[in-house]
């Protein structure tokens, strides 16, 4: 396509950092060009070295997961920090995740929560969900189920399926909020429609047992089967 040719010219010939990031994405996902993680990494690197925050953020991801290069968690954190200094939301969230799991840094839940809060301030749905987890489990903060529900809802309203499932579970069981089985069913349905395996199983459970909806054994089995296709062990149990 002509547009892709222009993008390549801007990235490869004119050395324009945002174009390098975008062309790297095309190579990463095989959009209009043959998929190549190594070539994508090369364009991300050129973008990142010129200070593009999105290039820096995704370069951190490449080092973290070994995409197009050898895995190097310390380098991942380095590039996340550079992007986070420019308030790139995904990088800020990923720094929190690194501190939570000890990826390239010493595990430090207080630091994880701090970075999650910064990412929440930037509107990150992933960070909202992770901060909800922290409040639900009392990890890095005092346990507060109402605050967990608050952050799950913020994330769920942005369409993040993990948060939608978590919010559904809280509503189903009255954790940090009044019990609302109909609301739980609806949030499970939204997450299940996005392919979330646990939500698919929970939706099946609701349909099997009439939780927030009328019983429908045939539809329950369909959702259990979809969840089982993703190797969810609870779904295998429910299918018998």
């Amino acid at each position: 396509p002509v547009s892709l040719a222009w993008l390549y010219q801007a990235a490869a010939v004119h050395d324009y950092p945002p174009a390098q990031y975008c062309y790297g994405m095309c190579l990463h996902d095989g959009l209009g060009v043959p998929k190549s993680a190594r070539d994508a990494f090369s364009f991300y690197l050129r973008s990142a070295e010129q200070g593009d925050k999105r290039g820096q953020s995704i370069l951190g991801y490449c080092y973290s997961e070994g995409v197009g290069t050898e895995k190097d968690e310390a380098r991942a954190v380095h590039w996340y920090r550079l992007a986070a200094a420019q308030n790139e939301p995904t990088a800020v969230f990923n720094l929190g995740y690194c501190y939570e799991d000890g990826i390239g840094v010493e595990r430090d839940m207080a630091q994880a929560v701090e970075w999650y809060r910064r990412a929440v301030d930037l509107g990150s749905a992933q960070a909202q969900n992770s901060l909800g987890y922290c409040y639900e489990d009392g990890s890095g903060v005092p346990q507060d189920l109402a605050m967990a529900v608050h952050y799950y809802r913020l994330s769920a309203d942005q369409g993040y399926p993990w948060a939608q499932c978590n919010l559904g579970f809280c509503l189903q069981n009255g954790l940090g909020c009044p019990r609302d089985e109909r609301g739980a069913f609806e949030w499970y349905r939204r997450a299940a429609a996005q392919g979330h395996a646990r939500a698919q199983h929970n939706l099946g459970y609701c349909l099997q047992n009439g939780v927030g909806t009328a019983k429908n054994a045939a539809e329950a089995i369909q959702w259990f089967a979809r969840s089982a296709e993703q190797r969810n062990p609870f779904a295998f149990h429910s299918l018998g």
Side-chain angles (χ1 to χ4, degrees):
V2 173
S3 59
L4 194 60
W6 287 347
L7 182 62
Y8 175 80
Q9 283 286 110
V13 178
H14 299 292
D15 211 27
Y16 183 52
Q20 291 165 340
Y21 164 77
C22 291
Y23 193 70
M25 290 290 291
C26 293
L27 289 162
H28 193 157
D29 296 330
L31 301 175
V33 292
K35 185 181 290 191
S36 172
R38 186 168 295 278
D39 289 342
F41 175 84
S42 177
F43 276 97
Y44 292 151
L45 180 62
R46 290 173 66 178
S47 174
E49 287 179 336
Q50 294 191 76
D52 185 89
K53 63 184 180 181
R54 293 183 301 171
Q56 292 170 338
S57 180
I58 201 162
L59 191 67
Y61 169 80
C62 289
Y63 276 119
S64 177
E65 300 298 322
V67 175
T69 188
E70 290 187 12
K71 189 172 182 176
D72 188 328
E73 293 177 348
R75 285 191 179 183
V77 170
H78 167 76
W79 286 107
Y80 286 151
R81 287 193 190 281
L82 291 178
Q86 299 189 66
N87 290 325
E88 203 288 316
T90 302
V92 176
F93 164 75
N94 282 338
L95 273 176
Y97 183 74
C98 287
Y99 275 107
E100 181 172 2
D101 275 19
I103 299 171
V105 291
E106 290 269 339
R107 187 175 186 276
D108 185 333
M109 280 308 303
Q111 278 290 308
V113 168
E114 176 62 26
W115 284 108
Y116 287 151
R117 288 194 191 281
R118 294 186 192 185
V120 164
D121 289 342
L122 295 168
S124 168
Q126 290 172 292
Q128 290 164 344
N129 180 63
S130 290
L131 196 53
Y133 272 131
C134 291
Y135 275 110
E136 183 177 355
D137 295 339
S139 185
V141 291
Q143 187 179 47
D144 187 330
L145 296 181
M147 287 296 288
V149 170
H150 168 73
Y151 284 109
Y152 288 152
R153 191 177 295 278
L154 289 177
S155 183
D157 284 340
Q158 291 200 67
Y160 190 56
W162 285 93
Q164 291 174 337
C165 184
N166 291 335
L167 180 58
F169 186 80
C170 290
L171 289 167
Q172 181 186 350
N173 295 284
L175 301 176
C177 59
R179 188 186 298 270
D180 179 1
E181 292 183 346
R182 181 64 189 176
F185 175 80
E186 290 300 329
W187 284 113
Y188 287 150
R189 183 180 288 282
R190 293 189 195 188
Q194 295 190 68
H196 190 278
R198 196 180 88 183
Q200 290 171 338
H201 173 265
N202 291 357
L203 185 63
Y205 176 89
C206 290
L207 288 159
Q208 182 184 55
N209 295 282
V211 176
T213 188
K215 288 185 179 182
N216 188 326
E219 190 177 354
I221 290 172
Q222 290 176 5
W223 284 109
F224 288 149
R226 292 188 190 184
S227 183
E229 286 173 0
Q230 299 191 66
R231 315 303 296 176
N232 184 337
F234 296 104
F236 287 118
H237 180 269
S238 295
L239 284 170

